[in-house]
Amino acid sequence: MLSERRLEVLRAIVQDYVGTEEPVGSKVLTERHNLKVSPATVRNDMAALEDEGYIAQPHTSAGRIPTDKGYRLFVDKLAGVKPLSSPERRAIQNFLDGAVDLDDVVGRTVRLLAQLTRQVAVVQYPSLTRSTVRHVELLGLAPARLMLVLITDTGRVEQRLIDCPAPIGETVLADLRARLNSRVVGQRFTEVPSLVQDLPEAFDADDRATISTVLATLLETLVEETEERLMIGGTANLTRFGHDFPLTIRPVLEALEEQVVLLKLLGEAKDSGMTVRIGHENQHEGLSSTSVVSVGYGSGDEAVAKLGVVGPTRMDYPGTMGAVRAVARYVGQILAES
Amino acid sequence: MLSERRLEVLRAIVQDYVGTEEPVGSKVLTERHNLKVSPATVRNDMAALEDEGYIAQPHTSAGRIPTDKGYRLFVDKLAGVKPLSSPERRAIQNFLDGAVDLDDVVGRTVRLLAQLTRQVAVVQYPSLTRSTVRHVELLGLAPARLMLVLITDTGRVEQRLIDCPAPIGETVLADLRARLNSRVVGQRFTEVPSLVQDLPEAFDADDRATISTVLATLLETLVEETEERLMIGGTANLTRFGHDFPLTIRPVLEALEEQVVLLKLLGEAKDSGMTVRIGHENQHEGLSSTSVVSVGYGSGDEAVAKLGVVGPTRMDYPGTMGAVRAVARYVGQILAES
DNA sequence: GCTTGGCACTCTGCAGGCCGGAGTGCCAAG
DNA sequence: CTTGGCACTCCGGCCTGCAGAGTGCCAAGC
């Protein structure tokens, strides 16, 4: 087991390296952090830490830098979550309060998060899975052509065009609309299928085919749209990544363009609490020198989606985690109000 | 005026430089393009072209590279638009044909364009300005709370929440819905204000305030949503930009995140035909070493929005223009069909 | 047994100097 | 106007040397 002091040395190394971006040696370490031991002692500790795989040297006679494993230990045991200052919190609130609709909320959140952390921000649109139905609308566009509009409690609107097998009358449509809404409004998406199952039976045989089509489309929408959309921002911050640009930044940009990758990334994170994935812990190869800090957010106690940031493994974890958590909370509040 | 041969020399310089990314000298020029004159002669021509500001040398005793002015002349007079090969055209068609809704069309277009040109692609969502109304829907969510849903002929859906000054009855609402639709369906957005102006008069005094609110919201939506949304993709291609990374790429990424900048960029382009803005011709400073190739696209003969690519001034203009034009055409077709 | 100072060693990064290559500009001849 | 010749310039690569930072190890001290 690592002694208390060695952990302290590791913490000091991580903090220094994150600050300076340069390998850190035993001398500066004793100077900057009052470790109360000599450089020689620290060197011994560093040798031990290196044996255990927590730090590494880029080349002989250079200082040490933390490994993924070192960051992991730092995040798990050595670092807390740094709360934001109250001006920062006020700024968040003010900035988010100005949002006019869901798109705007997500857009603002992305920008905010990118700005606060100076990293790439990723925000998932609230998922439909855990949402409830606020309203279902059916519009007759033509005799045998309908539009289905689904409105969720998170303010999301989905629409689908439906080609009916047979024309449907206005009164039947109104009837269907009314029955549909009385059954599903306020209900969870997952409940909807069983709630509408027997609806066609209430109608004339002539209309049943059409009504089944409508219901099928509705259910499809619920399922399909569970594949999330997301928004990213702050990619310009990637330029602060390192000195060896093209090689580092390219795969990251590519990964960010693949929504599938990002969704998988967020999906792998825990549903509650904050998740930090460091370097190679991310499956995706292009992201092997980045860390992802993510957290769920939601209007109630349950998370309806996730948000987070992607940055270099060498990042300010406490600060980033603080910002991510704070933003998630405020977004949750905003969603709950609307 | 520049002689025929000098123009030929300029063309050769542009082509070579675009291909090799290196300043091009008189010797290789005579070798690679059969100019039928000696290097010395070409040197004289180059000196003349430099005097006129079409080319420049990075430093004494280096080859020449085209200036913005040189590219301008090249694009205007020396280069055509390179048509795509038929496999390429087929690929475009196949790829776009799979789209299921408007979002998907735009998304696929962006990816396609980025892939074809190996540059950053920008696609504007079809504008509401020139669109017509397909349907307006009013939903009563609560006694004094409505939702307005606007559906356009391009398949776009906008929704707004409305807090009414007074509760409104279902029958009145149905009446309003019917009247509203009978007046505005099929009409251009620009016509709508005059068409609905006198609508409140048809209703009881009690309801007029509410109805005015609804109409105001509708008009607001029409105006506000004329600010376009857009989608960008292929940012990973920025890494192919040049060797002097951070300085070049950063401002570009920043500009790309500012939708306002991009919209202005596209907005400045001609409504019909292709627009090429080269280097400093773009107002935005961050884009001073990039060129923007854009073109309008639309479902009919009129453009409803624009799309284009952003790349280094040193780009393959004929090829890029060909790809942009072709994609715009196919997208137009897709929109017309749906 | 841990801590410490000392010391030799290694490696990077930078500055300076050298050289070859590529390209130019100019000139005089065709 | 075109061409070959020639002197000149400048970049980029390469080597060298040197200072600085950092390490590992050892022997002495607490």
Side-chain angles (χ1 to χ4, degrees):
Chain A
M1 200 51 246
L2 290 169
S3 75
E4 195 59 36
R5 196 190 57 226
R6 292 197 173 154
L7 291 176
E8 194 55 42
V9 169
L10 177 58
R11 163 189 282 144
I13 291 173
V14 171
Q15 286 174 351
D16 258 39
Y17 182 60
V18 165
T20 63
E21 307 198 14
E22 270 168 18
V24 17
S26 54
K27 188 145 158 271
V28 297
L29 218 47
T30 54
E31 286 164 3
R32 275 206 274 261
H33 311 258
N34 62 338
L35 291 175
K36 297 183 183 131
V37 288
S38 76
T41 311
V42 172
R43 279 207 286 284
N44 290 330
D45 291 343
M46 285 166 105
L49 286 168
E50 184 162 12
D51 281 345
E52 304 282 335
Y54 294 111
I55 56 180
Q57 346 184 36
H59 23 251
T60 336
S61 92
R64 306 304 215 290
I65 62 176
T67 59
D68 288 355
K69 188 177 172 192
Y71 285 122
R72 173 89 278 159
L73 184 60
F74 176 79
V75 168
D76 289 346
K77 299 276 162 55
L78 302 175
V81 175
K82 186 170 149 219
L84 297 193
S85 68
S86 59
E88 281 175 312
R89 284 203 300 270
R90 263 201 306 282
I92 294 180
Q93 185 121 37
N94 287 340
F95 190 61
L96 290 182
D97 269 349
V100 300
D101 63 9
L102 183 65
D103 266 336
D104 201 20
V105 171
V106 174
R108 280 168 185 252
T109 305
V110 151
R111 266 176 291 159
L112 184 64
L113 206 50
Q115 224 175 306
L116 278 172
T117 62
R118 306 201 52 192
Q119 278 157 172
V120 179
V122 182
V123 179
Q124 201 175 19
Y125 276 75
S127 150
L128 298 192
T129 329
R130 299 202 190 78
S131 314
T132 58
V133 176
R134 180 181 280 168
H135 191 87
V136 177
E137 187 57 34
L138 286 168
L139 317 174
L141 301 179
R145 203 170 159 83
L146 299 178
M147 173 166 274
L148 173 78
V149 180
L150 173 73
I151 303 168
T152 79
D153 63 339
T154 49
R156 195 155 150 186
V157 177
E158 293 295 329
Q159 84 281 2
R160 283 285 180 285
L161 285 174
I162 305 176
D163 284 312
C164 309
I168 182 167
E170 256 307 320
T171 50
V172 180
L173 197 59
D175 190 16
L176 176 60
R177 186 189 293 132
R179 283 172 192 264
L180 208 47
N181 276 292
S182 73
R183 294 204 184 186
V184 302
V185 166
Q187 299 297 324
R188 293 234 166 165
F189 285 17
T190 42
E191 318 281 331
V192 172
S194 59
L195 291 170
V196 300
Q197 201 180 356
D198 60 339
L199 253 188
E201 295 165 20
F203 291 84
D204 284 352
D206 293 349
D207 294 321
R208 277 187 203 155
T210 297
I211 291 180
S212 296
T213 309
V214 171
L215 293 181
T217 308
L218 173 61
L219 299 185
E220 230 171 68
T221 308
L222 297 179
V223 174
E224 265 178 31
E225 288 304 308
T226 302
E227 336 166 340
E228 320 283 355
R229 289 173 50 211
L230 40 78
M231 193 177 274
I232 77 173
T235 47
N237 290 325
L238 285 176
T239 54
R240 305 185 310 113
F241 226 71
H243 319 285
D244 50 346
F245 258 75
L247 296 168
T248 324
I249 206 179
R250 162 128 230 197
V252 179
L253 273 174
E254 275 168 0
L256 291 177
E257 291 222 341
E258 289 285 339
Q259 306 234 330
V260 189
V261 173
L262 284 177
L263 288 169
K264 191 154 152 264
L265 219 59
L266 291 179
E268 283 166 353
K270 297 193 295 278
D271 265 4
S272 64
M274 199 147 13
T275 303
V276 180
R277 308 207 124 218
I278 296 166
H280 293 87
E281 294 171 12
N282 294 304
Q283 299 304 333
H284 192 84
E285 201 174 339
L287 298 176
S288 60
S289 59
T290 65
S291 287
V292 180
V293 176
S294 59
V295 68
Y297 70 92
S299 48
D301 39 355
E302 259 182 310
V304 295
K306 290 174 186 154
L307 57 77
V309 307
V310 179
T313 48
R314 166 191 29 74
M315 69 162 69
D316 167 20
Y317 289 95
T320 304
M321 290 165 81
V324 168
R325 191 174 64 185
V327 169
R329 280 199 191 136
Y330 284 109
V331 176
Q333 280 177 25
I334 299 281
L335 287 181
E337 286 164 17
S338 64
Chain B
M1 202 49 247
L2 290 169
S3 74
E4 194 59 36
R5 195 190 58 226
R6 290 193 176 157
L7 291 177
E8 194 53 43
V9 169
L10 177 58
R11 164 188 282 144
I13 291 173
V14 171
Q15 286 174 350
D16 258 40
Y17 183 61
V18 166
T20 64
E21 305 197 18
E22 271 169 17
V24 19
S26 54
K27 187 145 158 271
V28 296
L29 219 46
T30 54
E31 286 165 2
R32 276 206 273 262
H33 310 260
N34 62 337
L35 292 175
K36 296 184 184 128
V37 287
S38 76
T41 310
V42 172
R43 279 207 288 284
N44 289 330
D45 292 342
M46 286 167 103
L49 286 168
E50 183 161 12
D51 280 346
E52 304 282 335
Y54 293 112
I55 56 180
Q57 352 183 30
H59 21 252
T60 336
S61 91
R64 305 302 215 291
I65 63 177
T67 60
D68 288 355
K69 189 178 170 191
Y71 285 123
R72 168 90 312 184
L73 184 61
F74 176 79
V75 168
D76 289 346
K77 299 274 160 56
L78 302 176
V81 174
K82 187 170 150 220
L84 298 192
S85 67
S86 60
E88 280 175 313
R89 284 204 301 269
R90 261 201 307 282
I92 294 180
Q93 184 121 38
N94 286 341
F95 190 60
L96 290 182
D97 270 349
V100 300
D101 63 8
L102 183 65
D103 266 336
D104 201 20
V105 171
V106 174
R108 280 168 185 253
T109 306
V110 151
R111 266 175 292 158
L112 184 63
L113 205 50
Q115 224 176 307
L116 278 173
T117 62
R118 305 202 54 190
Q119 280 160 40
V120 179
V122 182
V123 178
Q124 203 175 19
Y125 275 75
S127 150
L128 298 193
T129 328
R130 300 203 189 76
S131 314
T132 57
V133 177
R134 182 181 277 167
H135 191 87
V136 177
E137 187 58 33
L138 285 168
L139 317 174
L141 301 178
R145 202 172 160 83
L146 299 179
M147 173 165 277
L148 173 78
V149 180
L150 172 74
I151 303 167
T152 79
D153 65 339
T154 48
R156 196 153 146 187
V157 177
E158 293 295 330
Q159 84 280 2
R160 283 286 179 287
L161 286 174
I162 305 176
D163 284 313
C164 307
I168 181 167
E170 256 308 321
T171 51
V172 180
L173 197 60
D175 190 15
L176 177 60
R177 186 189 293 132
R179 284 171 191 264
L180 206 50
N181 275 292
S182 73
R183 295 205 184 188
V184 302
V185 166
Q187 300 297 323
R188 293 231 167 168
F189 285 16
T190 43
E191 318 281 331
V192 172
S194 60
L195 291 169
V196 301
Q197 201 180 357
D198 60 339
L199 253 187
E201 295 164 22
F203 291 85
D204 284 352
D206 292 350
D207 294 321
R208 279 188 202 152
T210 296
I211 294 190
S212 297
T213 308
V214 171
L215 293 181
T217 306
L218 173 60
L219 299 184
E220 229 171 71
T221 308
L222 296 179
V223 173
E224 265 177 32
E225 287 304 310
T226 303
E227 335 166 342
E228 320 282 357
R229 289 173 51 212
L230 39 77
M231 194 177 273
I232 75 174
T235 46
N237 290 325
L238 285 176
T239 53
R240 303 185 312 116
F241 226 70
H243 320 285
D244 50 346
F245 259 76
L247 296 168
T248 325
I249 206 178
R250 162 129 230 195
V252 179
L253 273 174
E254 275 168 1
L256 290 177
E257 292 224 340
E258 288 285 340
Q259 306 234 329
V260 190
V261 172
L262 284 178
L263 288 169
K264 191 154 151 265
L265 219 60
L266 291 179
E268 282 166 355
K270 297 193 296 279
D271 265 4
S272 65
M274 200 148 9
T275 303
V276 180
R277 309 209 124 218
I278 297 167
H280 293 86
E281 294 171 11
N282 295 304
Q283 298 304 332
H284 191 84
E285 201 173 340
L287 298 176
S288 61
S289 58
T290 64
S291 288
V292 180
V293 176
S294 59
V295 68
Y297 71 91
S299 47
D301 38 357
E302 262 181 310
V304 296
K306 290 174 185 151
L307 56 78
V309 307
V310 179
T313 49
R314 167 190 31 73
M315 69 162 71
D316 168 19
Y317 289 95
T320 304
M321 290 165 80
V324 168
R325 193 174 65 185
V327 169
R329 280 201 191 133
Y330 284 109
V331 176
Q333 281 178 25
I334 299 282
L335 288 182
E337 286 164 16
S338 64

